[in-house]
Amino acid sequence: MFALPEKESRAPSTCPGPASTQDLDSNCGDGLERECSRKPDQKLPELYGVGDPTAGFSSNSSHLSSRGGIIKWFWDSAEAGYRTYHMDEASLTWAPVRTNSALTCCPRGLREEVARFLSFYCKSPVPLQAENVVVLNGCASVFSALATVLCEVGEAFLIPAPYYGAITQHVCLYGNVRLVSVYLDSEVTGPDTRPFQLTVEKLEMALQGANSQGIKVKGLILINPQNPLGDIYSPAELQNFLEFAKRHELHVMVDEVYMLSVFEESVGYRSVLSLERLPDPQRTHVMWATSKDFGMSGLRFGTLYTENRDVATAVASLCRYHGLSGLVQHQMAQLLRDRDWINQVYLPENHARLKAAHTYVAGELRALGIPFLSRGAGFFIWADLRKYLPEGSFEEERRLWRRFLDHKVLVSFGKAFECKEPGWFRLVFSDKAHRLCLGMQRVRQVLEGKSQVAEDPPACQTQEPRDRHR
């Protein structure tokens, strides 16, 4: 607290005359007489103060930004009493009132369920620890919180582009953190390369370019499986990217929100948590949520796994703004522990439906002569519509997207994903068969230049996978 400056807080040296007090009541008069009786150099009592919540702040974490350190310090200060109580409840004579403190934002039981769930499905070589789990209301909140506690205002993350465009909002609107796009292109330069392939060389070039412009890069964002490409990084690629980050002391945020939506068994997806050795575990942070793999976007359940306790504490302290209700916590714990239903019923059925839908849309695109990327993961196909843009411009790309909208079919244009090549579009196929038929019919009519859209499409060649468990 800041006291008033002495010269402003001194008592008046003279007492106001009767003319200035004639309208005051007796109580005010008594008070005034008391004020007048003070010695000239006697200070008035402090009537207000300007708060400085960080006056006693100190942080010894090299991994947190200044605001991340402050966030963690608030948590540590507020929770010290609760931690002491829970460590030795029996010997304390006073039991604190159970409030919605940071401890109760996510109880240990739920974090243990998350740790067991991720240990199994990520195929971690050793069991993951509940102490390293943070739960917030969705991966958007995890992104926002992580960016805020790791970066100062104006600092940046590297991110391969094209990428899921909402990440820009997640890190910018909340934490004022920037993204440096590592541009990937569709050109195949050799037998061992693929379109839009990320390499360490491209990461190095992007980092050097950002540094030359005075931009401080604090980390790297990887999405695996990738959105919108559906690409999957091999264990060797992941290891190389993590080694690059370690060389430059960069944090790595790995988004694995489509981890259980790999519907082609031959793809061989591996979580970063399955690696035998993380090059820099203190700077590796893994996210997962139920929004995609379980189709539960509305419930808002996102997880962070990090071995960095300072980072975990700082992110967890924001649960006051991004917490889950007790009902959602209970539902999620019940779901994550039901391994038999997930393995024997849900995942086989979900993968079968995704594969059938993907097969249908891919067949329609081939019939139209449209190239596309087919990776066997995620909910989308990355389609090359460049031949429909005579000038090859982003203005044409947007006009084509508008024609799709006019024909009542929603696709996403490449510029929304920071794709540097005009003409790429993302088509989501995770829908019912009859809607996919109607949607692809409208896509065909747009690309063939027809203006009339039939509301009743002909019979579809595909059908919903039969539910073997009903």
Side-chain angles (χ1 to χ4, degrees):
M1 305 291 285
F2 294 108
L4 288 172
E6 185 174 336
K7 65 179 181 180
E8 296 180 8
S9 60
R10 294 182 184 275
S13 58
T14 59
C15 185
S20 64
T21 61
Q22 60 184 352
D23 294 330
L24 297 175
D25 60 25
S26 60
N27 289 334
C28 291
D30 292 341
L32 189 60
E33 291 174 3
R34 286 193 297 271
E35 292 297 328
C36 293
S37 66
R38 286 197 176 95
K39 295 180 180 179
D41 60 347
Q42 186 175 357
K43 293 182 180 180
L44 287 170
E46 295 180 8
L47 302 180
Y48 73 91
V50 179
D52 182 12
T54 63
F57 163 72
S58 64
S59 174
N60 57 2
S61 175
S62 61
H63 296 287
L64 298 177
S65 63
S66 59
R67 55 187 175 179
I70 292 172
I71 291 169
K72 178 180 179 294
W73 176 75
F74 270 116
W75 166 290
D76 291 338
S77 302
E79 298 302 315
Y82 284 98
R83 285 196 298 269
T84 302
Y85 168 71
H86 285 289
M87 285 189 295
D88 193 10
E89 296 182 29
S91 64
L92 294 180
T93 58
W94 176 75
V97 177
R98 300 288 182 167
T99 64
N100 188 27
S101 70
L103 282 174
T104 59
C105 281
C106 180
R108 181 177 179 83
L110 177 57
R111 288 184 285 118
E112 289 175 343
E113 290 296 344
V114 171
R116 284 191 287 265
F117 178 90
L118 294 178
S119 296
F120 181 82
Y121 288 104
C122 294
K123 297 180 172 61
S124 61
V126 296
L128 303 179
Q129 302 301 309
E131 290 77 10
N132 300 331
V133 173
V134 181
V135 179
L136 299 181
N137 59 344
C139 265
S141 296
V142 177
F143 260 117
S144 300
L146 259 181
T148 298
V149 305
L150 294 179
C151 296
E152 307 292 351
V153 170
E155 292 182 340
F157 282 101
L158 297 176
I159 185 168
Y163 63 86
Y164 178 51
I167 295 176
T168 302
Q169 302 172 37
H170 300 341
V171 303
C172 178
L173 297 181
Y174 195 97
N176 201 6
V177 174
R178 306 165 71 178
L179 294 178
V180 175
S181 295
V182 183
Y183 288 123
L184 311 179
D185 56 63
S186 60
E187 182 181 3
V188 177
T189 58
D192 296 328
T193 64
R194 62 184 185 272
F196 298 100
Q197 183 174 2
L198 178 64
T199 63
V200 172
E201 290 73 21
K202 294 175 182 178
L203 290 172
E204 293 281 5
M205 292 176 60
L207 180 60
Q208 292 174 12
N211 290 339
S212 68
Q213 297 185 31
I215 299 172
K216 176 65 174 178
V217 176
K218 291 295 288 290
L220 166 65
I221 296 175
L222 297 174
I223 309 172
N224 188 38
Q226 215 269 2
N227 179 4
L229 303 177
D231 210 358
I232 290 177
Y233 299 127
S234 69
E237 288 175 319
L238 285 173
Q239 196 75 32
N240 290 337
F241 302 153
L242 295 176
E243 292 285 359
F244 156 82
K246 181 181 181 180
R247 285 196 302 273
H248 297 283
E249 297 185 344
L250 302 178
H251 290 269
V252 183
M253 297 164 59
V254 187
D255 178 359
E256 298 189 343
V257 73
Y258 290 98
M259 173 180 69
L260 299 181
S261 297
V262 180
F263 52 87
E264 288 289 355
E265 294 183 3
S266 60
V267 169
Y269 170 80
R270 288 278 300 276
S271 166
V272 71
L273 293 175
S274 71
L275 300 180
E276 289 293 332
R277 182 187 63 85
L278 293 175
D280 192 355
Q282 289 296 301
R283 289 189 176 92
T284 305
H285 320 292
V286 185
M287 292 175 281
W288 178 80
T290 56
S291 56
K292 304 300 189 294
D293 286 339
F294 286 95
M296 301 169 69
S297 297
L299 254 62
R300 311 308 304 149
F301 181 85
T303 67
L304 167 68
Y305 190 85
T306 175
E307 294 184 22
N308 189 313
R309 301 308 302 277
D310 287 341
V311 172
T313 300
V315 172
S317 70
L318 294 172
C319 72
R320 288 182 172 89
Y321 317 106
H322 303 292
L324 287 72
S325 71
L327 291 175
V328 172
Q329 293 178 21
H330 176 73
Q331 288 176 317
M332 290 299 99
Q334 295 296 317
L335 171 64
L336 299 182
R337 72 167 58 105
D338 195 353
R339 200 82 51 80
D340 289 342
W341 178 81
I342 294 173
N343 292 336
Q344 299 173 19
V345 179
Y346 176 73
L347 287 180
E349 186 65 27
N350 192 46
H351 290 167
R353 294 185 183 188
L354 287 174
K355 187 171 184 177
H358 177 273
T359 298
Y360 169 73
V361 174
E364 291 292 302
L365 292 175
R366 290 190 185 96
L368 288 168
I370 296 175
F372 60 91
L373 299 188
S374 179
R375 303 295 195 213
F379 299 166
F380 26 75
I381 287 178
W382 190 238
D384 181 4
L385 303 184
R386 287 179 292 178
K387 67 180 181 180
Y388 297 97
L389 309 182
E391 298 177 5
S393 68
F394 285 112
E395 291 77 11
E396 286 181 309
E397 178 185 85
R398 197 172 188 90
R399 286 198 293 270
L400 179 56
W401 172 73
R402 175 56 63 180
R403 290 205 300 273
F404 283 128
L405 285 183
D406 292 342
H407 283 69
K408 299 181 181 180
V409 58
L410 179 60
V411 297
S412 301
F413 55 89
K415 186 64 175 176
F417 302 93
E418 291 298 324
C419 183
K420 73 172 185 177
E421 299 177 6
W424 288 88
F425 285 74
R426 190 189 75 168
L427 282 67
V428 176
F429 58 80
S430 53
D431 207 340
K432 298 287 186 180
H434 70 279
R435 286 198 286 264
L436 291 177
C437 289
L438 178 59
M440 289 309 301
Q441 183 189 35
R442 292 175 177 178
V443 167
R444 178 184 291 273
Q445 289 171 333
V446 169
L447 298 180
E448 292 178 350
K450 298 178 181 178
S451 59
Q452 189 72 25
V453 177
E455 294 299 329
D456 297 319
C460 186
Q461 297 299 313
T462 188
Q463 55 184 313
E464 302 288 350
R466 300 180 68 180
D467 192 341
R468 301 179 297 275
H469 306 282
R470 289 180 181 171

